[in-house]
């Protein structure tokens, strides 16, 4: 009689054979070497059978590297906020791998035709491989990418009968970034498997197919990292950009997922196309798309191109590489959002299916990169040549960031450009250009450089969308069809940062130092042994970081609500005053020296408190600023992106901790320990107990800050927190209200205009705006506008337009400019342009001893509106000092 162990071993054998067959079915007729470990042999399950975790992915890639060290190497490029490793693998022939750094050096040589002649470039091209970068699962709940990366690497290393594999390894370096968002993926997988019961449910309404807040799409700070390639705020993005600029891969693919009822998407991209992309780049990625189509036809996979996913915004993972000369695309596969999903047509669609489609697309992309090696390399070099020529001929050839009040944000802009690989210098002497005098310290960016097209697309005020595309969107809108604009239409960094930037059609020759991504902002402390006080001018991003650092170091300080003059120097409203007499119990001299250096702030020591103009230090217009406890609504119904992005701005940009409180607890939580409560944008429908608790807390001296849609909630009659009124769409010809009767009086329609008026909705919200930059005028006399210029720029999206608050109810801090000046960048519907002027952007309303501050737009979005951080800092840190709370 055979033992249990025998039958167990036999069952395991059959199970193993089944898994091997399933692995082979990923690529029919493929044969694999036993020297390369399968996913099953390392992890205990076959590819596509289970959603691999970050730890499993690492374990498998390490096993592959150990088995084939001459053909594959793993490098670490960053760590996530939750301390997970981000890696990329490089796979090629042993000969190519041995010359990896030589390849890197040659790509850098091809990247600069100012030092590499056309003849030298051709010589380099003749002897070097092509290169492709495959990035998977930047959205953590777009799960199939990581497992397809694993099977792609296995296929490349283990195949023994695939001529295509032999071909591509001989002349192509394959970079694989298997998991771009480990934190989001772990959030998704842990919750998914926690909800699975006896069987995996294919029902789209089942728990495992519906994620709780926040879903796995975003990273730790709840960023959509496929939008972070412009502001580069997250460590994952920083690491990827640094690595890509090091190797300059020729083809870059960002592999995503979309709705489970969809098939597969790859290039060519949908319109609009960014006008700074070249025809050669679009042609090359179309060649890749055609190769994908050949394979998808062979496998019988459906696909679509030129729809939905555009190439306009430069902050996508597939658009950013195009601006160093790569050809790039997004790929989207229908998602099973688990191990099995029932599509609308009744078909069962498995995780294995989605993995296979990404796997096939990966291999076909690699082959296309291999087949077009010489063209891709030659076009890459010519891209750099033409970029320099285009910059040299541009009307906006040179961008100058002059010395200005907000040194910190100007420095942030300069170093951000450097992080993007742009050549930036800082003048070491005064100079004159295009008739304007500039002081030493100004930053200079000449667009006649290899990264010149990137400079132009992010630094110019307006990047136009093709007019025929706009005409089509207007036609669709007239028919009440959804427009096809995928993301924002404006992203000018000078406007978003509210930094003064000048342009000139000429270059300048001036003694200048190279600016790098890590070039520090140098602070300055005059009279470090001041007898009476230290004063820090407000309105500089560096001064906001100084404020939070002082508060966290228990330094007692004040803020002036009006400008003042001392020692013949004028200080703006908001300026910080740190008196020595009030800080005798700490080593104030050392603290001020250290914090000035680390924050880059400007601080003046004074030996007398005599003020020749404006309020004295003891005036009622000079308030004590104390360290606030800040709470933020978290979880449903807030927008996870708004909550996470705003928390990031306060914690990482401004440098101050935030306590997240689940929104469902706001009705019962003791809020008395908090001075500030932030409601991120979201679709609120709070209970009476929540509204009552917040109202009473505000009346007792709390500061409530609402962002975007949260301001709509605060202004609703149910909430009663803000005396704002949201507008319906502006209509030129108001028709009679529709009757609710079954029969209505007859109307005579004599023209198409009459017809369109008859079918028009006469009571509706304004049309939604995809995202434009609008000029906002500021009441600079109000203390909430301390340190802010008379106008700033804000991102406007959505359909909410609010009338200004009545003077009897509160104060309008910011409002949209007049119609002529309002639109700073992007495309805005004409009706919205006519309706928005002088409407509310930021308001303040007293309530009992506290106040409510409402922003009608989400100023924390994507953490890329640095120019509005002063307004946020004033709301968070200065507002509590202006409540009537007893301390």
């Amino acid at each position: 009689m055979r033992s249990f162990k025998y039958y167990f071993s036999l069952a395991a054998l059959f199970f193993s054979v089944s898994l091997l067959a399933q692995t082979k079915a990923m690529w029919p007729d493929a044969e694999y070497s036993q020297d390369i470990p399968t996913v099953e042999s390392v992890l205990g399950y076959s590819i596509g059978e289970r959603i691999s975790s970050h730890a499993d992915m690492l374990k498998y890639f390490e096993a592959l590297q150990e088995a084939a060290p001459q053909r594959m190497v793993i490098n670490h490029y960053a760590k996530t906020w939750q301390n997970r490793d981000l890696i990329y693998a490089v796979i090629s022939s042993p000969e190519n791998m041995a010359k990896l750094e030589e390849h890197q050096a040659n790509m850098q040589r091809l990247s600069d035709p100012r030092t590499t002649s056309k003849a030298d470039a051709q010589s380099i091209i003749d002897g070097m491989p092509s290169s492709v970068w495959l990035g998977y699962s930047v959205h953590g709940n777009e799960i199939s990418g990581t497992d397809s990366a694993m099977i792609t690497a296995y296929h490349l290393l283990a195949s023994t009968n695939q001529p295509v594999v032999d071909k591509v390894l001989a002349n192509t370096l394959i970079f694989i970034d298997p998991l771009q968002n480990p934190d989001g993926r772990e959030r998704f997988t842990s919750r998914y498997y926690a909800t699975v019961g006896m069987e995996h449910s294919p029902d789209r309404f089942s728990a495992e197919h519906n994620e709780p807040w926040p879903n796995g799409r975003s990273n730790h700070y709840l960023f959509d990292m496929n939008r972070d390639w412009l502001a580069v705020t997250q460590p994952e993005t920083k690491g990827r950009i640094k690595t890509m600029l090091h190797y300059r891969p020729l083809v870059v693919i960002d592999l995503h997922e979309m709705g489970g009822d969809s098939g597969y998407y790859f290039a060519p991209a949908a319109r609009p196309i960014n006008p700074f992309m070249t025809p050669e780049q679009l042609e090359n990625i179309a060649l890749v798309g055609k190769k994908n189509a050949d394979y998808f036809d062979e496998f019988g996979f459906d696909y679509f191109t030129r729809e939905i996913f555009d190439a306009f915004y430069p902050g996508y993972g597939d658009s950013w590489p195009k601006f160093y000369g790569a050809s790039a695309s997004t790929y989207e596969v229908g998602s099973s959002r688990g191990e099995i999903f029932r599509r609308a047509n009744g078909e069962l669609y498995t995780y294995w299916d989605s993995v296979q489609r990404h796997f096939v697309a990966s291999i076909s992309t690699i082959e296309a990169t291999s087949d077009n090696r010489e063209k891709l390399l030659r076009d890459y070099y010519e891209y750099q040549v033409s970029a320099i020529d285009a910059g040299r001929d541009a009307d906006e050839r040179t961008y100058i960031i002059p010395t200005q009040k907000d040194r910190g944000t100007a420095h942030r802009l300069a170093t951000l450009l450097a992080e993007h690989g742009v050549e930036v210098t800082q003048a070491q002497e005064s100079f004159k250009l295009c008739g304007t005098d500039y002081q030493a310290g100004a930053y200079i960016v000449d667009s006649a450089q290899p990264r010149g097209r990137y400079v132009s697309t992010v630094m110019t005020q307006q990047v136009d969308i093709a007019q025929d595309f706009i005409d089509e969107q207007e036609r669709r809108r007239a028919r009440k069809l959804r427009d096809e604009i995928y993301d924002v239409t404006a992203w000018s960094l000078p406007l978003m940062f509210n930094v003064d930037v000048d342009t000139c059609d000429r270059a300048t020759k001036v003694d200048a130092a190279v600016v790098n991504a890590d070039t520090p902002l140098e602070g300055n402390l005059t009279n470090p042994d001041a007898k009476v006080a230290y004063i820090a001018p407000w309105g500089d991003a560096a001064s906001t970081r100084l404020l939070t650092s002082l508060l966290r170091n228990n330094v007692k300080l004040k803020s002036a609500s009006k400008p003042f003059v001392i020692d013949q120097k004028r200080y703006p409203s908001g300026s910080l005053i740190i008196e020595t007499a009030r800080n005798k119990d700490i080593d104030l001299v050392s603290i001020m020296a250290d914090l000035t250096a680390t924050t880059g702030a400007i601080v003046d020591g004074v030996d007398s408190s005599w003020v020749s103009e404006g309020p004295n230090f003891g005036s009622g217009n000079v308030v004590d600023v104390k360290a606030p406890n800040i709470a933020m609504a978290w979880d449903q119904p807030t927008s996870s992106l708004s909550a996470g992005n705003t928390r990031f701005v306060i914690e990482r940009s401004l440098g101050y901790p935030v306590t997240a409180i689940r929104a469902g607890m706001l009705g019962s939580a003791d809020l008395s320990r908090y001075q500030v409560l932030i409601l991120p944008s979201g679709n609120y429908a709070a209970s009476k107990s929540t509204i009552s608790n917040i109202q009473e807390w505000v009346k007792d001296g709390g500061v409530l800050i609402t962002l975007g849609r949260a301001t709509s909630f605060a202004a609703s009659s149910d909430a009663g927190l803000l005396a704002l009124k949201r507008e319906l769409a502006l209509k030129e010809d108001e028709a009679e209200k529709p009757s609710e009767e079954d029969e209505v009086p007859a109307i005579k329609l004599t023209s198409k205009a009459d017809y369109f008026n008859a079918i028009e909705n006469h009571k509706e919200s304004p049309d939604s705006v995809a995202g434009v930059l609008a000029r906002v005028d500021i009441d600079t006399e109000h203390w909430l506008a301390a340190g802010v210029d008379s106008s700033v720029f804000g991102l406007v999206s959505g359909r909410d337009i609010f009338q200004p608050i009545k003077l009897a109810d509160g104060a309008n801090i910011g409002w949209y400019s007049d119609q002529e000046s309002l639109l700073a960048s992007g495309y805005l519907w004409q009706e919205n342009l006519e309706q928005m002027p002088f409407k509310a952007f930021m308001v303040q309303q007293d309530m009992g001893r506290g106040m409510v501050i409402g922003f009608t737009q989400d100023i924390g979005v994507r953490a890329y509106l640095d120019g509005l951080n002063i307004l946020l800092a004033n709301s968070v840190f200065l507002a509590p000092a202006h409540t009537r709370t007893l301390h």
Side-chain angles (χ1 to χ4, degrees), residues 511-528:
D511 180 24
V514 173
V515 175
N516 298 309
D518 57 357
T519 297
L521 175 65
E522 295 185 2
N524 185 48
L525 174 61
T526 65
N527 189 16

Side-chain angles (χ1 to χ4, degrees), residues 229-473:
W229 293 76
L230 179 62
V232 197
T233 64
Q234 302 303 292
E236 299 94 333
T237 315
K238 289 177 177 291
R240 275 189 284 279
I241 281 180
K242 185 176 182 180
T243 303
M244 284 191 181
L245 288 176
H246 182 70
Y247 287 110
R248 306 292 180 107
L250 298 169
V251 173
V252 177
I253 305 298
D254 198 19
L255 291 96
H256 291 255
E257 288 185 347
M258 55 186 165
D261 294 316
S262 302
Y264 201 99
Y265 163 84
F266 48 74
R271 300 183 69 203
I273 305 294
N274 190 295
F276 290 102
M277 295 174 185
T278 68
E280 292 77 16
Q281 290 176 302
L282 301 178
E283 175 188 330
N284 288 335
I285 204 60
L287 291 174
V288 176
K290 289 177 181 178
K291 178 66 72 173
N292 289 342
D294 291 342
Y295 273 93
F296 274 49
D297 287 346
E298 182 179 341
F299 277 80
F301 298 156
D302 289 336
Y303 67 89
F304 66 92
T305 64
R306 300 185 304 277
E307 294 181 63
I308 303 175
F309 305 105
D310 70 6
F312 190 58
Y313 173 59
Y316 301 134
D318 74 316
S319 58
W320 181 89
K322 294 170 185 169
F323 292 98
Y324 72 70
S327 299
S329 176
T330 284
Y331 289 178
E332 300 270 353
V333 68
S335 177
S336 63
R337 274 302 189 274
E339 293 190 9
I340 189 167
F341 176 76
R342 179 176 288 108
R343 287 177 156 170
N345 62 7
E347 172 189 335
L348 288 178
Y349 179 67
T350 68
Y351 184 55
W352 189 93
D353 294 327
S354 60
V355 171
Q356 186 191 29
R357 283 158 175 74
H358 264 339
F359 166 46
V360 171
S362 298
I363 297 301
S364 61
T365 298
I366 295 167
E367 184 178 4
T369 306
S370 170
D371 290 346
N372 295 282
R373 181 197 69 83
E374 184 172 357
K375 183 180 188 323
L376 288 166
L377 284 163
R378 186 175 63 251
D379 288 348
Y380 176 83
Y381 176 77
E382 291 299 332
Y383 175 93
Q384 320 302 322
V385 174
S386 62
I388 294 171
D389 290 342
R392 188 179 293 120
D393 296 337
D395 292 336
E396 295 179 338
R397 170 173 178 167
T398 301
Y399 292 86
I400 308 98
I401 307 173
T403 56
Q404 52 199 283
K405 176 182 66 177
D406 192 353
R407 300 164 48 259
T409 306
H411 174 265
R412 157 79 170 140
L413 176 56
T415 53
L416 174 61
L417 290 171
E419 190 168 17
H420 282 295
V422 172
E423 297 168 4
V424 183
T425 59
Q426 186 173 25
Q428 303 299 292
E429 59 185 2
S430 60
F431 65 98
K432 188 170 187 174
L433 186 62
C434 281
T436 302
D437 293 318
Y438 295 98
Q439 298 177 359
Y443 299 102
I444 304 166
V445 183
D446 186 349
S447 64
Q449 60 170 289
R451 291 286 272 159
R453 288 191 178 95
Y454 187 76
V455 172
S456 296
T457 199
V458 302
M459 292 292 284
T460 194
Q461 182 168 334
Q462 174 72 16
V463 178
D464 288 326
I465 300 174
Q467 187 58 48
D468 63 330
F469 179 84
I470 290 296
D471 292 343
E472 172 61 12
Q473 305 320 301

Side-chain angles (χ1 to χ4, degrees), residues 530-559:
K531 296 178 181 178
V532 173
Y534 299 94
I535 305 174
W538 194 239
D540 180 358
S543 63
T544 64
R545 292 191 292 269
L546 175 66
L547 168 62
T548 58
S549 298
L550 290 168
L551 294 175
R552 299 196 73 194
N553 277 272
N554 299 314
V555 175
K556 298 180 179 68
L557 64 133
K558 296 177 177 179
S559 172

Side-chain angles (χ1 to χ4, degrees), residues 156-172:
L156 292 170
L157 295 172
S159 297
T160 59
N161 69 335
Q162 297 293 304
V164 167
V165 171
D166 296 336
K167 175 182 68 173
V168 302
L169 293 179
N171 78 340
T172 308

